[in-house]
Amino acid sequence: MQDILTAYGLVMDECHIQAFGSGLINATWKVSHADKVYILQRINHQVFKQPALIAQNIRAIGHHLKKHHPDYFFVQPVLTTDKRDMVVTAEGEYYRLQPFVANSHSYDVVNNEQLAYEAARQFGRFTRLLSGIDTNEIQVTLPDFHNLTLRYAQFEQAVKHGNPARVAGAANDINTIRHYKYLTEIFTSIQHSPYFKVRVMHHDTKISNVLFDANNKGICVIDLDTVMPGYFISDFGDMMRTYLSPASEEETDFSKVKVRKEYYTAIVNGYLSEMKDELSVTEQAHLVYAGQFMVYMQAIRFLTDYFNNDSYYGAKYEQHNLLRARNQLTLLESITQQEQTLSSVATH
Ligand code: GN1
Ligand code: MG
């Protein structure tokens, strides 16, 4: 830690360092030094095989926003004393530092509709402001990240070759996943549709990735590791996945996992307040599908990881990823049951 902080001209003994946030992939700390506060992150390079691409994207996005939308509050990385945007340690670990945005705060759960609206507006705004970037200039930091077809194939592989005891104990869950396979076919049609556009998407639109000001107005979005070319269903769907239910993906009492329709309305109105003119009629006809797509993919990813002995997400107890998968399947069922009602939510 000392070597990393030294690279930024900070003295470890003078810093107050504490673990921060609840992400599953990267490690994050809050570092305070005198009146300055920073966020330090270690990038998981088992997952992000080329951390340099992340830094490259952040530079490209920062440059575009500064030039075309100078009013946007963009969190620039802190550079090392020799002007690099990451530190690579002797062990091959990647670290980066950002300022902690003063007078900002974030949330781990969405407990009022206004927050859902604001967050959705921020993610919509982010994509809209970047609509002038040629998506070919944005690097793919995680190949096939939201490729549902591939995720499904990996799931079937894991059913065949994964931990046999775990596979045997999850027969019902496997059936449920197979029952919803039609969602992968809709995804294939989207990939071939001229009415779906590839845009710069965030790909991790949980509420904790939005900064709010003292009045709970959104300031900006953060955690740009997964910013890549993609479809709007990734961002819109992940908001449905993480804002609709009063209980998170960690909840094991599945009776608490359900869709709050008012929150759906808030996401729709917040997102479309920025993206209405950007999205085609066909895209707007796939709002509810977006949620099914993301929740289904997350269920598949958790269950696949369970069969593969938790090698990706890790687990705090034996059935952790199985229960996470069941939580997501409960949410998928709830969205699917209410598909008609949700689809009729008026957009304005
Ligand atoms: C991971 O690390 P975190 O929590 O920001 C994952 C997301 C999942 C999420 C589920 C790179 O995000 O795709 O939706 O866990 N990110 C990666 O909690 O795999
Ligand atoms: Mg993330």
Side-chain angles (χ1 to χ4, degrees):
M1 189 64 87
Q2 175 64 77
D3 291 349
I4 299 150
L5 293 173
T6 304
Y8 290 101
L10 296 168
V11 180
M12 187 168 166
D13 289 344
E14 297 169 4
C15 291
H16 179 69
I17 303 166
Q18 62 196 118
F20 188 81
S22 54
L24 297 178
I25 303 298
N26 295 329
T28 308
W29 297 269
K30 193 171 178 181
V31 176
S32 316
H33 181 266
D35 59 344
K36 293 226 159 82
V37 189
Y38 304 94
I39 290 293
L40 177 69
Q41 277 192 307
R42 182 180 64 224
I43 301 169
N44 181 333
H45 63 87
Q46 309 284 77
V47 171
F48 295 98
K49 302 248 165 16
Q50 292 178 273
L53 298 183
I54 299 176
Q56 195 177 326
N57 281 350
I58 293 176
R59 279 198 299 274
I61 291 164
H63 179 79
H64 183 88
L65 291 171
K66 197 167 173 188
K67 189 164 169 199
H68 300 282
H69 306 284
D71 292 342
Y72 187 78
F73 188 89
F74 184 73
V75 186
Q76 291 286 355
V78 177
L79 300 185
T80 60
T81 49
D82 57 356
K83 305 262 180 292
R84 285 170 299 134
D85 42 19
M86 277 189 304
V87 172
V88 190
T89 65
E91 294 78 36
E93 305 276 20
Y94 291 78
Y95 288 82
R96 58 152 178 243
L97 194 71
Q98 276 153 244
F100 183 91
V101 177
N103 302 317
S104 75
H105 59 275
S106 60
Y107 293 91
D108 277 329
V109 284
V110 189
N111 51 17
N112 74 65
E113 294 149 51
Q114 196 52 32
L115 286 183
Y117 176 92
E118 278 296 316
R121 184 177 161 84
Q122 285 301 321
F123 285 112
R125 182 163 180 242
F126 182 74
T127 293
R128 183 176 63 78
L129 296 184
L130 295 174
S131 62
I133 287 195
D134 176 357
T135 49
N136 294 315
E137 279 177 31
I138 301 297
Q139 305 301 316
V140 176
T141 56
L142 278 178
D144 291 312
F145 186 40
H146 286 182
N147 181 344
L148 181 57
T149 320
L150 181 77
R151 298 284 186 188
Y152 187 87
Q154 289 170 336
F155 157 75
E156 290 290 1
Q157 278 300 106
V159 171
K160 259 201 208 126
H161 305 295
N163 181 326
R166 289 187 171 193
V167 171
N172 276 338
D173 308 284
I174 294 170
N175 279 339
T176 310
I177 301 268
R178 287 179 177 156
H179 163 80
Y180 281 104
K181 194 182 174 200
Y182 69 93
L183 295 171
T184 65
E185 283 139 31
I186 300 177
F187 175 65
T188 306
S189 71
I190 286 177
Q191 289 177 298
H192 293 109
S193 166
Y195 304 110
F196 273 81
K197 193 173 164 185
V198 173
R199 302 181 176 84
V200 180
M201 303 309 306
H202 185 284
H203 289 104
D204 189 11
T205 56
K206 60 169 76 104
I207 195 79
S208 59
N209 283 337
V210 179
L211 295 185
F212 292 90
D213 71 13
N215 300 317
N216 276 334
K217 291 280 167 221
I219 303 173
C220 62
V221 303
I222 54 171
D223 187 6
L224 307 182
D225 304 333
T226 52
V227 172
M228 285 181 276
Y231 298 110
F232 93 95
I233 53 172
S234 286
D235 283 12
F236 192 86
D238 207 39
M239 290 192 277
M240 288 177 66
R241 190 180 81 76
T242 54
Y243 309 171
L244 289 185
S245 171
S248 80
E249 68 192 14
E250 294 294 331
E251 181 62 61
T252 54
D253 175 355
F254 302 140
S255 70
K256 294 184 182 155
V257 177
K258 54 182 178 228
V259 170
R260 297 175 293 184
K261 191 181 164 204
E262 341 62 271
Y263 283 70
Y264 178 73
T265 309
I267 299 171
V268 170
N269 290 334
Y271 199 70
L272 293 186
S273 72
E274 295 284 345
M275 289 289 289
K276 180 103 186 141
D277 296 339
E278 292 279 329
L279 297 178
S280 70
V281 174
T282 311
E283 286 173 318
Q284 290 186 43
H286 283 75
L287 297 182
V288 179
Y289 173 74
Q292 294 174 304
F293 165 77
M294 282 305 296
V295 176
Y296 182 55
M297 186 157 58
Q298 194 64 56
I300 287 181
R301 291 176 67 194
F302 282 143
L303 194 58
T304 303
D305 200 39
Y306 177 67
F307 295 159
N308 293 336
N309 297 319
D310 314 310
S311 61
Y312 189 84
Y313 284 116
K316 297 209 170 90
Y317 52 94
E318 166 73 19
Q319 295 202 317
H320 199 163
N321 280 312
L322 175 63
L323 295 186
R324 285 167 166 162
R326 287 183 179 159
N327 169 305
Q328 296 293 287
L329 288 175
T330 308
L331 184 58
L332 177 59
E333 210 163 281
S334 178
I335 295 175
T336 305
Q337 270 165 10
Q338 294 177 67
E339 203 175 335
Q340 295 304 324
T341 334
L342 296 178
S343 301
S344 68
V345 163
T347 60
H348 54 79

